[in-house]
Amino acid sequence: MRPRAAMPIVLASTSLCLGLGLAASPGGSPQEPPRVQGKVEQKPQARPHGAPVVVDPATVRIDDGDTVVIRWGEGDEETVRILGIDTPETRHEEHSIPYDQSFGPEGRAFAQGAFAVASDVKLIRAAMLDPYGRTLGYLILDGKNYSVLVIKAGLSDETVSFYGDNGLPAMAAEVKSAAKGRPPLAFEPPHAFRKRMRSVSDWQKSPHPNPAR
């Protein structure tokens, strides 16, 4: 997911600046967000937050393992960067991710399956948007924290330890507990992969001399 690009309910601006990248996401790493006096500009969440909001499962579109898009109505779509997790990236050339990361497609497939079988979906939003204007929140599927499910499946890094609980301590604690004692992840940390892919993308877009004949 983007920068899936990361990344909070009550997070300091500086924490958000460090790279909710997340985040990916739409997934991947979006364009550099606007800055105010050297800091990433964050905005408060205008939609209801802090309490569960019922979501029709049919309106959820999966971008990657940690980013979904909810269609509330005509012309009203909400991109949600799911809190507590950072799954392997999928290809998003528009966000300088020219290749899938190992286990990225598997992470997306896991999300697609989890949401496809869920009959009861709820969204709990954080109080602030991420630096790219996406909603930050947890998604609860049939009473289970999706972030916990993907952590237990070995398809996500845990990000609460770095970004804090975003003002949602109970769900953040579930994520940290799920990550304890698990085997090492089978993939490169997504934030490191995003950084490498940006360099690759920059090289691909730069002019190159014709090879010697």
Side-chain angles (χ1 to χ4, degrees):
M1 208 319 68
R2 228 143 357 120
R4 290 180 146 49
M7 358 125 189
I9 235 184
V10 180
L11 252 206
S13 298
T14 50
S15 296
L16 283 168
C17 292
L18 289 174
L20 264 183
L22 288 195
S25 48
S29 177
Q31 300 262 328
E32 183 71 10
R35 293 179 179 270
V36 176
Q37 295 182 345
K39 294 183 179 181
V40 174
E41 180 184 10
Q42 340 164 205
K43 295 182 179 179
Q45 173 61 259
R47 301 177 191 260
H49 55 271
V53 176
V54 175
V55 178
D56 180 354
T59 66
V60 179
R61 173 170 57 85
I62 306 303
D63 186 78
D64 58 19
D66 56 29
T67 310
V68 303
V69 179
I70 301 171
R71 188 173 187 272
W72 295 107
E74 189 66 31
D76 183 12
E77 290 190 341
E78 179 181 12
T79 300
V80 180
R81 178 60 174 83
I82 304 172
L83 284 171
I85 57 174
D86 193 9
T87 62
E89 294 293 338
T90 55
R91 180 181 178 183
H92 286 83
E93 290 193 20
E94 68 277 21
H95 301 311
S96 300
I97 308 291
Y99 304 106
D100 287 331
Q101 183 178 1
S102 296
F103 292 93
E106 288 84 350
R108 179 170 55 196
F110 180 88
Q112 290 170 333
F115 280 86
V117 301
S119 58
D120 179 54
V121 177
K122 293 184 176 68
L123 168 65
I124 304 177
R125 301 182 183 97
M128 301 296 290
L129 300 175
D130 84 349
Y132 309 105
R134 300 175 297 186
T135 286
L136 291 162
Y138 285 99
L139 282 151
I140 310 302
L141 311 185
D142 294 329
K144 297 180 180 179
N145 186 337
Y146 168 77
S147 298
V148 169
L149 297 178
V150 73
I151 289 272
K152 288 184 175 180
L155 290 170
S156 180
D157 205 355
E158 175 267 308
T159 63
V160 174
S161 297
F162 188 77
Y163 294 110
D165 65 21
N166 302 298
L168 300 171
M171 283 166 287
E174 290 178 352
V175 171
K176 290 190 71 175
S177 178
K180 284 182 179 178
R182 69 177 180 189
L185 294 173
F187 49 86
E188 176 183 14
H191 67 86
F193 179 82
R194 287 191 291 272
K195 183 176 180 180
R196 285 201 302 111
M197 288 301 101
R198 291 188 193 107
S199 297
V200 170
S201 181
D202 288 345
W203 181 86
Q204 290 177 337
K205 294 173 184 176
S206 63
H208 302 290
N210 292 327
R213 295 181 182 275

Short mmCIF file of all heavy atoms in Angstrom, two decimals, residues 1-7 19-30 61-69 79-83 85-92 94-95 97 99-101 103-105 107-108 111 130 132 134-135 146 155-157 187 189-191 193-194 198:
data_model
loop_
_atom_site.label_atom_id
_atom_site.label_comp_id
_atom_site.label_asym_id
_atom_site.label_seq_id
_atom_site.Cartn_x
_atom_site.Cartn_y
_atom_site.Cartn_z
N MET A 1 0.45 -0.57 0.00
CA MET A 1 0.00 0.00 0.00
C MET A 1 0.55 0.69 0.00
O MET A 1 0.99 0.22 -0.41
CB MET A 1 -0.83 0.03 0.04
CG MET A 1 -1.64 0.42 -0.13
SD MET A 1 -2.29 1.10 -0.22
CE MET A 1 -2.43 1.43 -0.41
N ARG A 2 0.51 2.42 0.02
CA ARG A 2 1.05 3.61 -0.18
C ARG A 2 1.27 3.94 0.94
O ARG A 2 0.44 3.57 1.44
CB ARG A 2 0.25 4.47 -0.62
CG ARG A 2 0.14 5.33 -1.48
CD ARG A 2 -0.48 5.76 -2.12
NE ARG A 2 -1.34 5.95 -2.64
CZ ARG A 2 -2.06 6.67 -2.83
NH1 ARG A 2 -2.00 7.28 -2.61
NH2 ARG A 2 -2.83 6.89 -3.28
N PRO A 3 3.11 5.03 0.39
CA PRO A 3 3.30 5.22 1.07
C PRO A 3 2.78 4.99 1.35
O PRO A 3 2.12 4.91 0.51
CB PRO A 3 4.09 6.20 0.61
CG PRO A 3 4.14 6.73 -0.05
CD PRO A 3 3.54 6.13 -0.34
N ARG A 4 1.46 2.65 1.36
CA ARG A 4 0.80 2.83 1.63
C ARG A 4 1.13 2.99 2.72
O ARG A 4 1.22 2.33 2.41
CB ARG A 4 0.69 2.60 1.58
CG ARG A 4 0.50 2.29 0.68
CD ARG A 4 -0.09 1.05 0.21
NE ARG A 4 -0.19 1.37 -0.02
CZ ARG A 4 -0.12 1.51 -0.11
NH1 ARG A 4 -0.42 1.06 -0.54
NH2 ARG A 4 -0.28 1.31 0.06
N ALA A 5 2.08 5.24 1.93
CA ALA A 5 2.38 5.59 2.09
C ALA A 5 2.10 5.50 2.60
O ALA A 5 1.46 5.51 1.80
CB ALA A 5 2.24 5.88 2.31
N ALA A 6 2.27 4.60 4.97
CA ALA A 6 1.50 5.20 5.57
C ALA A 6 1.42 5.27 5.56
O ALA A 6 1.60 5.30 6.18
CB ALA A 6 1.97 4.70 4.46
N MET A 7 0.53 6.02 7.76
CA MET A 7 0.39 6.36 8.33
C MET A 7 -0.38 6.69 8.79
O MET A 7 -1.01 6.92 8.08
CB MET A 7 1.26 6.35 7.89
CG MET A 7 2.00 5.75 6.72
SD MET A 7 2.58 5.98 5.85
CE MET A 7 3.02 5.99 5.14
N GLY A 19 6.56 9.78 7.49
CA GLY A 19 6.36 8.91 6.37
C GLY A 19 5.21 7.99 6.43
O GLY A 19 5.32 6.84 6.09
N LEU A 20 4.08 8.40 6.82
CA LEU A 20 2.92 7.56 6.74
C LEU A 20 2.79 7.18 5.32
O LEU A 20 1.75 7.10 4.81
CB LEU A 20 1.70 8.38 7.13
CG LEU A 20 1.28 8.23 8.55
CD1 LEU A 20 0.04 9.00 8.84
CD2 LEU A 20 1.10 6.82 8.89
N GLY A 21 3.58 7.14 4.56
CA GLY A 21 3.70 6.88 3.23
C GLY A 21 2.84 6.22 2.48
O GLY A 21 3.06 5.94 1.43
N LEU A 22 2.72 6.42 3.25
CA LEU A 22 2.37 5.25 3.24
C LEU A 22 1.64 5.23 2.21
O LEU A 22 2.39 5.53 1.43
CB LEU A 22 1.88 4.84 4.40
CG LEU A 22 2.70 4.64 5.48
CD1 LEU A 22 2.09 4.00 6.29
CD2 LEU A 22 3.61 4.61 5.98
N ALA A 23 1.82 4.07 3.42
CA ALA A 23 0.70 4.06 2.67
C ALA A 23 0.24 4.04 2.29
O ALA A 23 0.10 3.86 2.88
CB ALA A 23 1.30 3.23 3.14
N ALA A 24 0.68 3.93 1.26
CA ALA A 24 0.56 3.76 0.65
C ALA A 24 -0.98 3.80 0.28
O ALA A 24 -0.83 3.20 0.36
CB ALA A 24 1.17 3.94 1.35
N SER A 25 -1.47 4.55 0.31
CA SER A 25 -2.05 4.46 -0.31
C SER A 25 -2.70 4.46 -0.72
O SER A 25 -1.73 2.62 -0.73
CB SER A 25 -1.86 4.51 -1.11
OG SER A 25 -0.83 3.46 -0.13
N PRO A 26 -4.95 5.56 -2.29
CA PRO A 26 -4.40 4.49 -3.07
C PRO A 26 -3.08 4.02 -2.51
O PRO A 26 -2.45 4.72 -1.76
CB PRO A 26 -4.27 5.09 -4.44
CG PRO A 26 -4.58 6.54 -4.28
CD PRO A 26 -5.13 6.75 -2.93
N GLY A 27 -2.64 2.86 -2.90
CA GLY A 27 -1.39 2.30 -2.40
C GLY A 27 -0.20 3.01 -2.98
O GLY A 27 -0.32 3.89 -3.78
N GLY A 28 0.97 2.56 -2.60
CA GLY A 28 2.17 3.19 -3.09
C GLY A 28 2.42 4.50 -2.41
O GLY A 28 1.81 4.83 -1.42
N SER A 29 3.33 5.27 -2.96
CA SER A 29 3.69 6.53 -2.34
C SER A 29 3.23 7.68 -3.20
O SER A 29 3.74 7.88 -4.29
CB SER A 29 5.21 6.58 -2.17
OG SER A 29 5.61 7.81 -1.66
N PRO A 30 2.24 8.46 -2.76
CA PRO A 30 1.72 9.54 -3.58
C PRO A 30 2.70 10.69 -3.73
O PRO A 30 3.79 10.67 -3.21
CB PRO A 30 0.48 10.01 -2.81
CG PRO A 30 0.28 9.03 -1.72
CD PRO A 30 1.58 8.34 -1.51
N ARG A 61 -13.80 -1.13 -2.30
CA ARG A 61 -12.87 -1.56 -3.35
C ARG A 61 -11.48 -1.68 -2.75
O ARG A 61 -11.01 -0.76 -2.08
CB ARG A 61 -12.87 -0.58 -4.52
CG ARG A 61 -11.82 -0.87 -5.58
CD ARG A 61 -12.02 -0.02 -6.83
NE ARG A 61 -12.00 1.41 -6.55
CZ ARG A 61 -10.89 2.14 -6.47
NH1 ARG A 61 -9.70 1.56 -6.59
NH2 ARG A 61 -10.96 3.44 -6.24
N ILE A 62 -10.82 -2.79 -2.99
CA ILE A 62 -9.48 -3.03 -2.43
C ILE A 62 -8.42 -2.44 -3.35
O ILE A 62 -8.38 -2.76 -4.54
CB ILE A 62 -9.23 -4.54 -2.26
CG1 ILE A 62 -10.35 -5.19 -1.44
CG2 ILE A 62 -7.86 -4.77 -1.61
CD1 ILE A 62 -10.56 -4.60 -0.07
N ASP A 63 -7.57 -1.61 -2.79
CA ASP A 63 -6.43 -1.10 -3.56
C ASP A 63 -5.23 -2.01 -3.35
O ASP A 63 -4.61 -2.47 -4.29
CB ASP A 63 -6.09 0.33 -3.15
CG ASP A 63 -5.00 0.92 -4.03
OD1 ASP A 63 -5.31 1.31 -5.16
OD2 ASP A 63 -3.84 0.93 -3.58
N ASP A 64 -4.89 -2.24 -2.09
CA ASP A 64 -3.87 -3.22 -1.75
C ASP A 64 -4.15 -3.70 -0.34
O ASP A 64 -5.25 -3.48 0.19
CB ASP A 64 -2.45 -2.67 -1.94
CG ASP A 64 -2.17 -1.43 -1.11
OD1 ASP A 64 -2.89 -1.17 -0.13
OD2 ASP A 64 -1.20 -0.70 -1.44
N GLY A 65 -3.18 -4.36 0.28
CA GLY A 65 -3.46 -4.97 1.57
C GLY A 65 -3.74 -4.01 2.70
O GLY A 65 -4.32 -4.40 3.72
N ASP A 66 -3.35 -2.73 2.55
CA ASP A 66 -3.57 -1.79 3.65
C ASP A 66 -4.33 -0.53 3.22
O ASP A 66 -4.38 0.45 3.95
CB ASP A 66 -2.25 -1.40 4.33
CG ASP A 66 -1.22 -0.82 3.35
OD1 ASP A 66 -1.63 -0.21 2.34
OD2 ASP A 66 -0.02 -0.99 3.60
N THR A 67 -4.93 -0.55 2.05
CA THR A 67 -5.65 0.62 1.56
C THR A 67 -6.91 0.19 0.82
O THR A 67 -6.85 -0.68 -0.05
CB THR A 67 -4.78 1.46 0.60
OG1 THR A 67 -3.51 1.71 1.21
CG2 THR A 67 -5.45 2.79 0.27
N VAL A 68 -8.04 0.78 1.20
CA VAL A 68 -9.29 0.49 0.51
C VAL A 68 -9.97 1.80 0.14
O VAL A 68 -9.64 2.87 0.68
CB VAL A 68 -10.24 -0.36 1.38
CG1 VAL A 68 -9.57 -1.67 1.79
CG2 VAL A 68 -10.72 0.41 2.61
N VAL A 69 -10.91 1.72 -0.78
CA VAL A 69 -11.71 2.87 -1.18
C VAL A 69 -13.18 2.53 -0.95
O VAL A 69 -13.65 1.48 -1.40
CB VAL A 69 -11.48 3.24 -2.66
CG1 VAL A 69 -12.34 4.44 -3.05
CG2 VAL A 69 -10.00 3.54 -2.91
N THR A 79 -10.88 7.29 0.48
CA THR A 79 -9.74 6.38 0.54
C THR A 79 -9.32 6.22 1.99
O THR A 79 -9.10 7.20 2.69
CB THR A 79 -8.56 6.93 -0.28
OG1 THR A 79 -8.97 7.07 -1.65
CG2 THR A 79 -7.36 5.99 -0.22
N VAL A 80 -9.22 4.98 2.43
CA VAL A 80 -8.88 4.68 3.82
C VAL A 80 -7.54 3.98 3.89
O VAL A 80 -7.36 2.89 3.33
CB VAL A 80 -9.95 3.78 4.48
CG1 VAL A 80 -9.58 3.47 5.94
CG2 VAL A 80 -11.33 4.43 4.40
N ARG A 81 -6.59 4.62 4.54
CA ARG A 81 -5.29 4.00 4.84
C ARG A 81 -5.45 3.32 6.19
O ARG A 81 -5.63 3.99 7.21
CB ARG A 81 -4.20 5.06 4.85
CG ARG A 81 -2.81 4.51 5.21
CD ARG A 81 -2.36 3.44 4.21
NE ARG A 81 -1.00 3.04 4.47
CZ ARG A 81 -0.64 2.14 5.37
NH1 ARG A 81 -1.55 1.58 6.15
NH2 ARG A 81 0.63 1.81 5.52
N ILE A 82 -5.45 1.99 6.18
CA ILE A 82 -5.78 1.23 7.39
C ILE A 82 -4.64 1.35 8.40
O ILE A 82 -3.47 1.16 8.08
CB ILE A 82 -6.05 -0.23 7.03
CG1 ILE A 82 -7.17 -0.30 5.98
CG2 ILE A 82 -6.46 -1.02 8.28
CD1 ILE A 82 -7.40 -1.69 5.40
N LEU A 83 -5.02 1.65 9.63
CA LEU A 83 -4.05 1.89 10.69
C LEU A 83 -3.42 0.60 11.22
O LEU A 83 -4.01 -0.48 11.17
CB LEU A 83 -4.71 2.63 11.84
CG LEU A 83 -4.97 4.12 11.62
CD1 LEU A 83 -5.83 4.68 12.75
CD2 LEU A 83 -3.66 4.89 11.53
N ILE A 85 -0.86 -1.14 10.26
CA ILE A 85 -0.25 -2.11 9.36
C ILE A 85 0.45 -1.42 8.19
O ILE A 85 0.13 -0.29 7.84
CB ILE A 85 -1.28 -3.12 8.82
CG1 ILE A 85 -2.43 -2.39 8.10
CG2 ILE A 85 -1.79 -4.01 9.94
CD1 ILE A 85 -3.42 -3.32 7.42
N ASP A 86 1.39 -2.13 7.59
CA ASP A 86 2.06 -1.70 6.37
C ASP A 86 2.33 -2.97 5.58
O ASP A 86 3.24 -3.74 5.89
CB ASP A 86 3.35 -0.96 6.69
CG ASP A 86 3.92 -0.21 5.48
OD1 ASP A 86 3.22 -0.13 4.46
OD2 ASP A 86 5.04 0.32 5.59
N THR A 87 1.50 -3.24 4.57
CA THR A 87 1.63 -4.47 3.81
C THR A 87 2.57 -4.28 2.63
O THR A 87 2.82 -3.16 2.19
CB THR A 87 0.26 -4.94 3.30
OG1 THR A 87 -0.29 -3.96 2.42
CG2 THR A 87 -0.71 -5.18 4.46
N PRO A 88 3.10 -5.37 2.07
CA PRO A 88 3.98 -5.25 0.91
C PRO A 88 3.29 -4.51 -0.23
O PRO A 88 2.07 -4.60 -0.41
CB PRO A 88 4.28 -6.70 0.54
CG PRO A 88 4.04 -7.47 1.79
CD PRO A 88 2.94 -6.77 2.50
N GLU A 89 4.08 -3.79 -1.00
CA GLU A 89 3.54 -2.92 -2.04
C GLU A 89 3.10 -3.70 -3.29
O GLU A 89 3.66 -4.74 -3.62
CB GLU A 89 4.58 -1.88 -2.46
CG GLU A 89 4.94 -0.90 -1.37
CD GLU A 89 3.80 0.02 -1.02
OE1 GLU A 89 2.87 0.19 -1.85
OE2 GLU A 89 3.82 0.58 0.09
N THR A 90 2.10 -3.15 -3.97
CA THR A 90 1.74 -3.62 -5.30
C THR A 90 2.12 -2.53 -6.30
O THR A 90 2.33 -1.37 -5.94
CB THR A 90 0.24 -3.93 -5.41
OG1 THR A 90 -0.51 -2.78 -5.01
CG2 THR A 90 -0.12 -5.12 -4.52
N ARG A 91 2.20 -2.91 -7.55
CA ARG A 91 2.65 -1.99 -8.58
C ARG A 91 1.72 -0.79 -8.72
O ARG A 91 0.52 -0.93 -8.90
CB ARG A 91 2.73 -2.73 -9.92
CG ARG A 91 3.20 -1.88 -11.08
CD ARG A 91 3.21 -2.70 -12.35
NE ARG A 91 3.61 -1.91 -13.50
CZ ARG A 91 3.64 -2.38 -14.75
NH1 ARG A 91 3.30 -3.65 -14.97
NH2 ARG A 91 4.01 -1.60 -15.75
N HIS A 92 2.29 0.41 -8.58
CA HIS A 92 1.57 1.67 -8.79
C HIS A 92 2.55 2.64 -9.47
O HIS A 92 3.23 3.42 -8.80
CB HIS A 92 1.09 2.27 -7.46
CG HIS A 92 -0.09 1.57 -6.86
ND1 HIS A 92 0.04 0.45 -6.10
CD2 HIS A 92 -1.42 1.85 -6.91
CE1 HIS A 92 -1.16 0.05 -5.68
NE2 HIS A 92 -2.06 0.89 -6.17
N GLU A 94 2.06 5.24 -11.07
CA GLU A 94 1.74 6.64 -10.85
C GLU A 94 2.28 7.14 -9.52
O GLU A 94 2.36 8.35 -9.27
CB GLU A 94 0.22 6.86 -10.90
CG GLU A 94 -0.59 6.24 -9.76
CD GLU A 94 -0.92 4.78 -9.94
OE1 GLU A 94 -0.24 4.09 -10.73
OE2 GLU A 94 -1.87 4.31 -9.29
N HIS A 95 2.66 6.21 -8.63
CA HIS A 95 3.24 6.59 -7.34
C HIS A 95 4.68 6.11 -7.22
O HIS A 95 5.18 5.90 -6.12
CB HIS A 95 2.40 6.01 -6.20
CG HIS A 95 0.98 6.47 -6.21
ND1 HIS A 95 0.62 7.79 -6.33
CD2 HIS A 95 -0.19 5.77 -6.13
CE1 HIS A 95 -0.70 7.90 -6.32
NE2 HIS A 95 -1.21 6.69 -6.21
N ILE A 97 6.08 3.28 -7.97
CA ILE A 97 6.27 1.89 -7.58
C ILE A 97 6.11 1.06 -8.86
O ILE A 97 5.01 0.59 -9.18
CB ILE A 97 5.24 1.42 -6.52
CG1 ILE A 97 5.21 2.37 -5.33
CG2 ILE A 97 5.56 -0.01 -6.06
CD1 ILE A 97 6.44 2.36 -4.46
N TYR A 99 7.16 -1.88 -9.78
CA TYR A 99 7.09 -3.34 -9.68
C TYR A 99 6.36 -3.75 -8.40
O TYR A 99 6.38 -3.03 -7.40
CB TYR A 99 8.50 -3.96 -9.65
CG TYR A 99 9.35 -3.58 -10.83
CD1 TYR A 99 10.40 -2.66 -10.69
CD2 TYR A 99 9.12 -4.13 -12.09
CE1 TYR A 99 11.18 -2.30 -11.78
CE2 TYR A 99 9.90 -3.78 -13.18
CZ TYR A 99 10.92 -2.86 -13.02
OH TYR A 99 11.69 -2.50 -14.08
N ASP A 100 5.73 -4.94 -8.46
CA ASP A 100 5.17 -5.52 -7.25
C ASP A 100 6.30 -5.91 -6.30
O ASP A 100 7.35 -6.41 -6.73
CB ASP A 100 4.38 -6.79 -7.56
CG ASP A 100 3.05 -6.53 -8.24
OD1 ASP A 100 2.45 -5.46 -8.00
OD2 ASP A 100 2.59 -7.40 -9.00
N GLN A 101 6.08 -5.70 -5.02
CA GLN A 101 6.98 -6.24 -4.01
C GLN A 101 6.61 -7.70 -3.77
O GLN A 101 5.46 -8.10 -3.94
CB GLN A 101 6.84 -5.44 -2.70
CG GLN A 101 7.80 -5.90 -1.61
CD GLN A 101 7.67 -5.05 -0.34
OE1 GLN A 101 6.86 -4.13 -0.28
NE2 GLN A 101 8.45 -5.38 0.67
N PHE A 103 5.16 -10.68 -2.09
CA PHE A 103 4.00 -10.82 -1.20
C PHE A 103 3.03 -9.64 -1.29
O PHE A 103 2.03 -9.63 -0.58
CB PHE A 103 4.43 -11.04 0.26
CG PHE A 103 5.10 -12.36 0.50
CD1 PHE A 103 6.48 -12.48 0.43
CD2 PHE A 103 4.35 -13.50 0.76
CE1 PHE A 103 7.11 -13.71 0.62
CE2 PHE A 103 4.96 -14.73 0.96
CZ PHE A 103 6.34 -14.84 0.89
N GLY A 104 3.31 -8.68 -2.18
CA GLY A 104 2.35 -7.60 -2.36
C GLY A 104 1.03 -8.09 -2.94
O GLY A 104 -0.05 -7.80 -2.39
N PRO A 105 1.05 -8.84 -4.05
CA PRO A 105 -0.20 -9.37 -4.59
C PRO A 105 -0.91 -10.29 -3.60
O PRO A 105 -2.15 -10.32 -3.54
CB PRO A 105 0.25 -10.13 -5.84
CG PRO A 105 1.51 -9.44 -6.26
CD PRO A 105 2.19 -9.06 -4.97
N GLY A 107 -0.86 -9.97 -0.34
CA GLY A 107 -1.51 -9.09 0.64
C GLY A 107 -2.82 -8.53 0.10
O GLY A 107 -3.83 -8.47 0.82
N ARG A 108 -2.81 -8.12 -1.15
CA ARG A 108 -4.04 -7.60 -1.77
C ARG A 108 -5.09 -8.70 -1.87
O ARG A 108 -6.28 -8.47 -1.58
CB ARG A 108 -3.75 -7.03 -3.14
CG ARG A 108 -5.00 -6.50 -3.85
CD ARG A 108 -4.64 -5.72 -5.09
NE ARG A 108 -3.80 -6.50 -5.99
CZ ARG A 108 -3.09 -5.97 -6.99
NH1 ARG A 108 -3.09 -4.67 -7.19
NH2 ARG A 108 -2.36 -6.75 -7.76
N ALA A 111 -6.75 -9.27 1.46
CA ALA A 111 -7.76 -8.24 1.73
C ALA A 111 -9.03 -8.49 0.92
O ALA A 111 -10.15 -8.38 1.44
CB ALA A 111 -7.20 -6.86 1.43
N ASP A 130 -4.34 11.61 6.92
CA ASP A 130 -2.90 11.44 6.78
C ASP A 130 -2.36 12.59 5.92
O ASP A 130 -3.12 13.43 5.44
CB ASP A 130 -2.56 10.03 6.24
CG ASP A 130 -2.63 9.90 4.73
OD1 ASP A 130 -3.14 10.83 4.05
OD2 ASP A 130 -2.18 8.87 4.21
N TYR A 132 -1.52 12.85 3.03
CA TYR A 132 -1.96 12.84 1.64
C TYR A 132 -3.47 12.99 1.51
O TYR A 132 -4.04 12.76 0.45
CB TYR A 132 -1.48 11.56 0.95
CG TYR A 132 0.00 11.34 1.15
CD1 TYR A 132 0.46 10.39 2.05
CD2 TYR A 132 0.93 12.13 0.49
CE1 TYR A 132 1.81 10.21 2.27
CE2 TYR A 132 2.29 11.96 0.70
CZ TYR A 132 2.72 11.01 1.59
OH TYR A 132 4.07 10.84 1.81
N ARG A 134 -5.83 11.21 3.01
CA ARG A 134 -6.59 9.97 3.15
C ARG A 134 -7.09 9.81 4.58
O ARG A 134 -6.46 10.26 5.54
CB ARG A 134 -5.72 8.76 2.79
CG ARG A 134 -5.20 8.78 1.37
CD ARG A 134 -4.24 7.64 1.10
NE ARG A 134 -3.04 7.71 1.92
CZ ARG A 134 -2.00 6.89 1.80
NH1 ARG A 134 -2.03 5.93 0.90
NH2 ARG A 134 -0.94 7.03 2.58
N THR A 135 -8.22 9.13 4.71
CA THR A 135 -8.72 8.77 6.03
C THR A 135 -7.79 7.75 6.66
O THR A 135 -7.30 6.83 5.99
CB THR A 135 -10.13 8.17 5.91
OG1 THR A 135 -11.07 9.23 5.64
CG2 THR A 135 -10.56 7.46 7.19
N TYR A 146 -9.46 -6.03 11.19
CA TYR A 146 -8.76 -6.48 9.98
C TYR A 146 -7.25 -6.39 10.13
O TYR A 146 -6.51 -7.26 9.65
CB TYR A 146 -9.22 -5.67 8.76
CG TYR A 146 -8.34 -5.91 7.56
CD1 TYR A 146 -8.46 -7.07 6.80
CD2 TYR A 146 -7.34 -5.00 7.21
CE1 TYR A 146 -7.61 -7.32 5.71
CE2 TYR A 146 -6.50 -5.22 6.12
CZ TYR A 146 -6.65 -6.38 5.38
OH TYR A 146 -5.80 -6.61 4.32
N LEU A 155 1.33 -11.15 6.65
CA LEU A 155 1.35 -10.36 5.42
C LEU A 155 1.43 -8.87 5.69
O LEU A 155 1.10 -8.07 4.81
CB LEU A 155 0.10 -10.68 4.59
CG LEU A 155 0.09 -12.08 3.96
CD1 LEU A 155 -1.28 -12.39 3.37
CD2 LEU A 155 1.18 -12.20 2.90
N SER A 156 1.86 -8.49 6.88
CA SER A 156 1.99 -7.06 7.18
C SER A 156 3.01 -6.80 8.27
O SER A 156 3.14 -7.59 9.21
CB SER A 156 0.64 -6.48 7.61
OG SER A 156 0.77 -5.10 7.89
N ASP A 157 3.68 -5.68 8.13
CA ASP A 157 4.51 -5.15 9.21
C ASP A 157 3.59 -4.45 10.20
O ASP A 157 2.48 -4.03 9.85
CB ASP A 157 5.52 -4.15 8.64
CG ASP A 157 6.75 -4.01 9.50
OD1 ASP A 157 6.80 -4.61 10.58
OD2 ASP A 157 7.67 -3.28 9.08
N PHE A 187 9.36 -10.73 3.90
CA PHE A 187 9.57 -9.71 2.88
C PHE A 187 10.30 -8.51 3.48
O PHE A 187 10.32 -8.31 4.69
CB PHE A 187 8.22 -9.25 2.28
CG PHE A 187 7.17 -8.92 3.30
CD1 PHE A 187 7.09 -7.66 3.87
CD2 PHE A 187 6.26 -9.88 3.70
CE1 PHE A 187 6.14 -7.35 4.82
CE2 PHE A 187 5.28 -9.58 4.65
CZ PHE A 187 5.22 -8.32 5.20
N PRO A 189 10.99 -4.76 4.61
CA PRO A 189 10.07 -3.75 5.14
C PRO A 189 9.53 -2.87 4.02
O PRO A 189 10.32 -2.36 3.21
CB PRO A 189 10.95 -2.96 6.12
CG PRO A 189 12.00 -3.93 6.55
CD PRO A 189 12.27 -4.78 5.33
N PRO A 190 8.21 -2.71 3.93
CA PRO A 190 7.65 -1.95 2.80
C PRO A 190 8.21 -0.54 2.66
O PRO A 190 8.38 -0.05 1.54
CB PRO A 190 6.15 -1.93 3.12
CG PRO A 190 5.93 -3.21 3.87
CD PRO A 190 7.16 -3.35 4.72
N HIS A 191 8.53 0.12 3.78
CA HIS A 191 9.06 1.48 3.66
C HIS A 191 10.41 1.48 2.96
O HIS A 191 10.75 2.40 2.20
CB HIS A 191 9.16 2.16 5.03
CG HIS A 191 10.18 1.56 5.95
ND1 HIS A 191 11.51 1.92 5.95
CD2 HIS A 191 10.05 0.62 6.93
CE1 HIS A 191 12.16 1.22 6.86
NE2 HIS A 191 11.30 0.42 7.47
N PHE A 193 11.34 -0.83 0.71
CA PHE A 193 11.04 -1.14 -0.69
C PHE A 193 10.57 0.11 -1.42
O PHE A 193 11.00 0.37 -2.55
CB PHE A 193 9.97 -2.23 -0.76
CG PHE A 193 9.57 -2.61 -2.16
CD1 PHE A 193 10.33 -3.51 -2.88
CD2 PHE A 193 8.44 -2.06 -2.74
CE1 PHE A 193 9.97 -3.87 -4.18
CE2 PHE A 193 8.07 -2.41 -4.04
CZ PHE A 193 8.83 -3.31 -4.76
N ARG A 194 9.71 0.91 -0.79
CA ARG A 194 9.24 2.13 -1.44
C ARG A 194 10.40 3.06 -1.77
O ARG A 194 10.45 3.66 -2.85
CB ARG A 194 8.23 2.85 -0.53
CG ARG A 194 6.88 2.17 -0.45
CD ARG A 194 5.85 3.06 0.23
NE ARG A 194 6.10 3.24 1.65
CZ ARG A 194 5.64 2.44 2.60
NH1 ARG A 194 4.93 1.37 2.31
NH2 ARG A 194 5.89 2.70 3.88
N ARG A 198 11.47 4.24 -5.58
CA ARG A 198 11.52 5.64 -6.02
C ARG A 198 12.80 5.90 -6.80
O ARG A 198 12.80 6.60 -7.81
CB ARG A 198 11.41 6.57 -4.82
CG ARG A 198 10.04 6.57 -4.16
CD ARG A 198 9.91 7.65 -3.10
NE ARG A 198 8.72 7.42 -2.29
CZ ARG A 198 8.73 6.98 -1.04
NH1 ARG A 198 9.89 6.74 -0.44
NH2 ARG A 198 7.61 6.80 -0.38
#
